[in-house]
Amino acid sequence: GLTIPILVTFSEPVIVTGTPTLALATGGAGSAVRYSSGSGTAILTFNYLVKLGDSSSNLDYVSVNALSIPAGGSITDLVLKPLVVLASGGFLPAPGTAGSLGANSAVVIDTTAPSFTVTLSRPSPLSAGLVTINVAASESLASAPLITIDQVGTLDVIGATMAGTLPGTTFTYGY
């Protein structure tokens, strides 16, 4: 799957020990994303690997307590003062509010493959004209589905020409 770096910005550089996690709201039980890099800077990176079944219309973390520090680990400033709990009750602003991941980005996660309905119309007799194939997708597509036609009884494989608007959900092919 695709890896998306999630950046958590602090007001000053921090030192990380252990491997903190960030719980993202990706549908179902969510996704616990492990800390990747950034100790000694004000920006920590958590690399989110998108998995089949993940879904979000605007990626955010699950709660103000989504940043979890493991037992024996810490996130401190450069003089070793620990993180301060915010008025929200956790280390992070509430999801969807100013300063949160969801308020500062527009990341959409969609791992559901589109489905297609295909209809065929052909002249009778078949040699009389153009065969038309209509394809309707369950969601808008950025590129047209590629189709090839294998004519039974021949060695020909024909590429069909497409008419439709991109992005779109309806495509018409003729050959």
Side-chain angles (χ1 to χ4, degrees):
L2 176 68
T3 298
I4 300 173
I6 306 296
L7 307 178
V8 177
T9 303
F10 295 89
S11 60
E12 62 182 302
V14 294
I15 303 294
V16 177
T17 60
T19 307
T21 58
L22 184 64
L24 298 179
T26 58
S31 298
V33 181
R34 294 169 51 101
Y35 162 75
S36 176
S37 64
S39 187
T41 73
I43 300 173
L44 301 184
T45 301
F46 294 77
N47 284 324
Y48 163 46
L49 177 63
V50 178
K51 300 177 303 302
L52 186 61
D54 286 357
S55 176
S56 176
S57 59
N58 186 17
L59 186 62
D60 211 338
Y61 42 79
V62 296
S63 73
V64 296
N65 297 308
L67 179 58
S68 178
I69 302 170
S74 65
I75 300 177
T76 65
D77 68 10
L78 296 179
V79 293
L80 305 181
K81 290 189 307 193
L83 284 181
V84 175
V85 175
L86 302 173
S88 64
F91 297 125
L92 301 169
T97 64
S100 70
L101 174 62
N104 289 313
S105 67
V107 177
V108 175
I109 306 297
D110 177 6
T111 61
T112 303
S115 61
F116 299 92
T117 301
V118 179
T119 58
L120 171 74
S121 64
R122 61 186 181 137
S124 183
L126 187 56
S127 61
L130 185 70
V131 173
T132 302
I133 301 169
N134 294 303
V135 178
S138 61
E139 61 185 70
S140 184
L141 304 177
S143 60
L146 175 64
I147 67 169
T148 56
I149 298 144
D150 185 3
Q151 294 182 343
V152 176
T154 72
L155 299 176
D156 298 335
V157 175
I158 299 172
T161 57
M162 187 280 291
T165 303
L166 294 172
T169 59
T170 305
F171 307 91
T172 301
Y173 299 83
Y175 80 97

